[in-house]
Structure formats: structure tokens, C-alpha cells
Amino acid sequence: MSIEDNKELARRHAECWNQGNVALLEELLAPDFIHHDPDYPDVRSREDYTRWFAESHRVFPDFHITAEIVVAEADKVAGYWTWRGTNTGDFERPAPAPATGKPVSVSGMNILRFAGGKIAEEWFQADTM
């Protein structure tokens, strides 16, 4: 796959989040996908990620991510992004908390590694403070 192909898959991954399209994750993520996120150390596999994705959309149904910067080299695409949403669902983790009804804006970075035309690995860091 070319760098441009990988950038397109990264764009589709962001659109998957924007559309809340959980079914598309199976197409985009490798079966042995690994996720690295210090805020969610229990989200590691494709199955974990799919659950986290669904939970995120339940808590923030209007979730929308905007890519601010995208850089690609070899088999990796790195991005700096901002996601916004309204907290209308109760949090179950990392600690139970009721919905606030307030808008939220979070910025962060991720690096996606591609193999065999799929996302094989993601390193993820968000400013959740």
C-alpha cells in the first residue's frame, strides 16, 4: 500500500467515528489490531475497541472529529485532531458519572500503523483534562 492509500484509510477511520459506523471498523481494523491508550489500558483488541467506540457514541451521540494535521511516512499516519460532542449519556468508566448535557472539546494525537491494507496498530493520546 502507498502512503496515499494509508492516508485515505486514516481519513476513512475518522469518518467512521464521525458517522458512528461501528460496522466499518471490521473493514478498517486488522483482526489482530492492537490499541495503545494510557487512559484506557483495557482497550487493546479490535473487540475492545469496538465496545469503546459504541460506548463513546452512546455518551456523545453527536461525536465529531476534525483532523487538524496529518503526516504520513512509510507504513504510519500520524494525526493531530480535535473531537467535539455533547455529553448526553452517563459515563460507566473510567468512573461512573452522570451526563452533564454540556458540549465537550478534546484535542489529541494518534499514530496508525498499517499492514495488509488495514489498521494494525494505533497509539492514542488525548488531552482529557
Side-chain angles (χ1 to χ4, degrees), residues 74-86:
D75 64 344
K76 294 182 182 69
V77 175
Y80 174 75
W81 40 259
T82 303
W83 72 259
R84 293 172 178 80
T86 308

Side-chain angles (χ1 to χ4, degrees), residues 38-50:
D39 286 338
Y40 290 95
D42 60 322
V43 177
R44 295 286 294 165
S45 68
R46 182 168 78 174
E47 293 74 24
D48 298 336
Y49 191 87
T50 300

Side-chain angles (χ1 to χ4, degrees), residues 49-111:
Y49 191 87
T50 300
R51 281 191 296 276
W52 177 55
F53 179 96
E55 181 181 333
S56 297
H57 280 275
R58 181 187 59 74
V59 175
F60 300 97
D62 60 345
F63 185 103
H64 186 82
I65 190 166
T66 303
E68 310 288 348
I69 300 169
V70 177
V71 178
E73 187 171 322
D75 64 344
K76 294 182 182 69
V77 175
Y80 174 75
W81 40 259
T82 303
W83 72 259
R84 293 172 178 80
T86 308
N87 177 214
T88 60
D90 296 341
F91 279 97
E92 295 173 12
R93 61 189 176 111
T100 64
K102 294 181 180 179
V104 174
S105 179
V106 175
S107 49
M109 298 176 276
N110 68 332
I111 300 170

